[in-house]
């Protein structure tokens, strides 16, 4: 079931899915309203004569005008969208194009204009005159109101496109998505006391199984998603233990060993294939279970801003500030254990999981490496690490932030030439490094 939800979420991010749904709705709407026109005799009074069309020529003229205008605006909307995607790709990186495709308004606008055009064509074919005259007046009224709504939608769309390619807006949208993602992936907050879980004796547990099967990737690509619930059911049914060597976001090569399956009885190839089917492999990375991919998008913006051709430290600082908020939250949560047990508390899966230090490396390593020569960015990095250190609830987390603070300090010592600037960096470094030494 979860695997189906994954594919549904991925489908919603395409440009064609929502427009196709809107087009199908417009076809059904046109058939329904035309049928209503034929089944209901509207009363003739001043109000109906004012709003409803009684001439077949006028009806054709109105529908032709609306349909022609809608298909023309649809072409303009496509062009504007492509220009926005091109600008976003060149300014922020090609991997951010998918974020613009996630925007529901863009999908609704594309579908709305095409579906209105199609609606008008279908209603136009229903107009009859001669021995039997039929003018779908109610259907034409719906087309007029839809055209009015589309005009308002066009204004909203242009406004949205104008602000969507601004650096601050892009950064805030990515940050908002990351914030939602981390709270979904890591909902458990850590208690006030330090928590140390005792790891099971893996060597002893493995020795209880007599057979080992190598689980190999059936294709090359990125591991996009793991249906953990179904995977657990399959392994429990076979009374086995699965040790995974990769997590979502890792690149797999066809024939590469991605895990080991331990059991006491021979496991048929069909059962191994069922286990492999719970691992979704695709040509690109996805954000659903891969937090590092979302963080790398923010890092890419910062790195591009720090390149000599752009030299925009303020955009890099904005990225650091938003990453600080994310890492401050992660410093307070309890990362899930790599050991997954069944309902009878028997170890079934040894997963390759994310940890705080790994995500901290993903967030700040490249920014630090590209920040050489940019004093303001180096100082802001140190301030960010100081803030994260204040939120850290675990000794390992605090040591990870101190490690990064030392790396930033060494970077500053090598690249900052002005002594006053370096003195500012040292003052900020003392707040985290010397504080940790005292504890």
């Amino acid at each position: 079931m979860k695997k189906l939800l994954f594919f549904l979420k991925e489908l919603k991010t395409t440009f064609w899915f929502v427009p196709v749904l809107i087009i199908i709705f417009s076809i059904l709407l046109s058939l329904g309203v035309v049928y209503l026109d034929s089944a209901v005799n509207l009363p003739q009074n001043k109000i109906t004569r004012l709003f409803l069309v009684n001439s077949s020529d006028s009806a054709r003229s109105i529908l032709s005008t609306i349909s022609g205008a809608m298909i023309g605006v649809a072409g303009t909307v496509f062009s504007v969208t492509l220009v926005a995607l091109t600008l976003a790709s060149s300014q922020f990186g090609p991997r951010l194009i998918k974020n613009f495709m996630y925007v529901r308004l863009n999908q609704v606008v594309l579908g709305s204009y095409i579906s209105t055009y199609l609606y008008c064509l279908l209603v136009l074919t229903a107009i009859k005159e001669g021995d039997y005259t039929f003018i779908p007046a109610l259907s034409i009224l719906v087309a007029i109101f839809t055209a009015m709504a589309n005009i308002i939608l066009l204004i909203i769309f242009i406004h949205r496109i104008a602000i969507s390619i601004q650096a601050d807006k892009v950064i805030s949208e990515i940050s908002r998505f990351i914030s939602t993602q981390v709270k979904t992936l890591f909902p458990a907050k850590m208690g006030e006391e330090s928590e140390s879980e005792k790891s099971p004796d893996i060597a002893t547990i493995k020795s209880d199984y007599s057979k080992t099967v190598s689980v190999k990737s059936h294709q090359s690509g990125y591991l996009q998603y793991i249906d953990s619930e179904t995977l657990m059911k399959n392994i429990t049914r076979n009374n086995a233990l699965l040790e995974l060597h990769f997590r979502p976001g890792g690149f797999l090569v066809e024939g590469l060993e991605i895990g080991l399956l331990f059991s006491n009885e021979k496991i048929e190839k069909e059962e191994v294939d069922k286990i492999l089917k719970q691992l979704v492999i695709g040509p690109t990375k996805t954000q659903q279970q891969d937090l590092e991919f979302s963080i790398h998008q923010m890092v890419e913006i910062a790195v591009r801003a720090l390149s000599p051709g752009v030299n925009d430290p303020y955009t890099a600082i904005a990225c650091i500030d938003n990453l600080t908020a994310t890492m401050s939250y992660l410093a307070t949560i309890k990362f899930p254990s790599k050991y997954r047990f069944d309902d009878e508390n028997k170890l079934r899966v040894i997963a390759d999981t994310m940890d705080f230090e790994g995500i901290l490396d993903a967030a700040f390593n490249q920014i630090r490496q590209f920040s050489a020569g940019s004093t303001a960015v180096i100082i802001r990095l140190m301030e960010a690490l100081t803030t994260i250190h204040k939120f850290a609830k675990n000794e390992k987390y605090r040591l990870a932030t101190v490690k990064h603070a030392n790396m930033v300090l060494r970077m500053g010592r090598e690249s900052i030439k002005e002594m006053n600037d370096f003195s500012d960096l040292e003052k900020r470094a003392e707040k985290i490094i010397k504080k940790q030494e005292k504890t």
Side-chain angles (χ1 to χ4, degrees), residues 160 198 233 280 284 330 430:
R160 173 75 189 194
K198 186 178 180 181
K233 290 178 182 177
V280 180
T284 59
L330 290 174
E430 287 176 359

PDB file of all heavy atoms in Angstrom, residues 160 198 233 280 284 330 430:
ATOM      1  N   ARG A 160       2.729  34.705  -9.418  1.00  0.00           N
ATOM      2  CA  ARG A 160       3.440  33.568  -8.827  1.00  0.00           C
ATOM      3  C   ARG A 160       4.767  33.324  -9.543  1.00  0.00           C
ATOM      4  O   ARG A 160       5.802  33.098  -8.900  1.00  0.00           O
ATOM      5  CB  ARG A 160       2.553  32.318  -8.907  1.00  0.00           C
ATOM      6  CG  ARG A 160       3.228  31.025  -8.493  1.00  0.00           C
ATOM      7  CD  ARG A 160       3.389  30.933  -7.008  1.00  0.00           C
ATOM      8  NE  ARG A 160       4.218  29.795  -6.642  1.00  0.00           N
ATOM      9  CZ  ARG A 160       4.313  29.310  -5.425  1.00  0.00           C
ATOM     10  NH1 ARG A 160       3.642  29.861  -4.438  1.00  0.00           N
ATOM     11  NH2 ARG A 160       5.075  28.280  -5.164  1.00  0.00           N
ATOM     12  N   LYS A 198      21.405  -0.006  23.970  1.00  0.00           N
ATOM     13  CA  LYS A 198      22.361  -1.095  23.840  1.00  0.00           C
ATOM     14  C   LYS A 198      22.108  -1.827  22.527  1.00  0.00           C
ATOM     15  O   LYS A 198      20.997  -2.288  22.254  1.00  0.00           O
ATOM     16  CB  LYS A 198      22.215  -2.058  25.022  1.00  0.00           C
ATOM     17  CG  LYS A 198      23.257  -3.144  25.040  1.00  0.00           C
ATOM     18  CD  LYS A 198      23.084  -4.028  26.258  1.00  0.00           C
ATOM     19  CE  LYS A 198      24.140  -5.126  26.270  1.00  0.00           C
ATOM     20  NZ  LYS A 198      23.978  -6.008  27.449  1.00  0.00           N
ATOM     21  N   LYS A 233       7.087  -7.822   6.581  1.00  0.00           N
ATOM     22  CA  LYS A 233       6.169  -8.965   6.525  1.00  0.00           C
ATOM     23  C   LYS A 233       6.782 -10.119   5.729  1.00  0.00           C
ATOM     24  O   LYS A 233       6.690 -11.286   6.124  1.00  0.00           O
ATOM     25  CB  LYS A 233       4.842  -8.541   5.890  1.00  0.00           C
ATOM     26  CG  LYS A 233       4.013  -7.626   6.768  1.00  0.00           C
ATOM     27  CD  LYS A 233       2.737  -7.206   6.060  1.00  0.00           C
ATOM     28  CE  LYS A 233       1.920  -6.244   6.929  1.00  0.00           C
ATOM     29  NZ  LYS A 233       0.702  -5.770   6.223  1.00  0.00           N
ATOM     30  N   VAL A 280      12.235   0.326  -4.462  1.00  0.00           N
ATOM     31  CA  VAL A 280      11.952   1.019  -5.721  1.00  0.00           C
ATOM     32  C   VAL A 280      13.235   1.671  -6.220  1.00  0.00           C
ATOM     33  O   VAL A 280      13.844   2.488  -5.514  1.00  0.00           O
ATOM     34  CB  VAL A 280      10.852   2.076  -5.542  1.00  0.00           C
ATOM     35  CG1 VAL A 280      10.572   2.791  -6.864  1.00  0.00           C
ATOM     36  CG2 VAL A 280       9.580   1.431  -5.010  1.00  0.00           C
ATOM     37  N   THR A 284      16.360   8.741 -11.139  1.00  0.00           N
ATOM     38  CA  THR A 284      16.697   9.968 -10.423  1.00  0.00           C
ATOM     39  C   THR A 284      16.422   9.797  -8.930  1.00  0.00           C
ATOM     40  O   THR A 284      15.686   8.900  -8.517  1.00  0.00           O
ATOM     41  CB  THR A 284      15.862  11.157 -10.936  1.00  0.00           C
ATOM     42  OG1 THR A 284      14.463  10.869 -10.758  1.00  0.00           O
ATOM     43  CG2 THR A 284      16.147  11.418 -12.411  1.00  0.00           C
ATOM     44  N   LEU A 330      16.973  18.883  14.089  1.00  0.00           N
ATOM     45  CA  LEU A 330      17.529  17.527  14.081  1.00  0.00           C
ATOM     46  C   LEU A 330      18.406  17.267  15.303  1.00  0.00           C
ATOM     47  O   LEU A 330      18.567  16.115  15.721  1.00  0.00           O
ATOM     48  CB  LEU A 330      18.332  17.300  12.799  1.00  0.00           C
ATOM     49  CG  LEU A 330      17.529  17.205  11.499  1.00  0.00           C
ATOM     50  CD1 LEU A 330      18.450  17.130  10.295  1.00  0.00           C
ATOM     51  CD2 LEU A 330      16.602  16.001  11.522  1.00  0.00           C
ATOM     52  N   GLU A 430      35.115  30.454  20.195  1.00  0.00           N
ATOM     53  CA  GLU A 430      35.309  30.171  21.628  1.00  0.00           C
ATOM     54  C   GLU A 430      34.003  29.755  22.306  1.00  0.00           C
ATOM     55  O   GLU A 430      34.003  28.963  23.254  1.00  0.00           O
ATOM     56  CB  GLU A 430      35.889  31.406  22.329  1.00  0.00           C
ATOM     57  CG  GLU A 430      37.354  31.662  21.985  1.00  0.00           C
ATOM     58  CD  GLU A 430      37.868  32.946  22.619  1.00  0.00           C
ATOM     59  OE1 GLU A 430      37.056  33.616  23.309  1.00  0.00           O
ATOM     60  OE2 GLU A 430      39.055  33.273  22.425  1.00  0.00           O
TER      61      GLU A 430
END
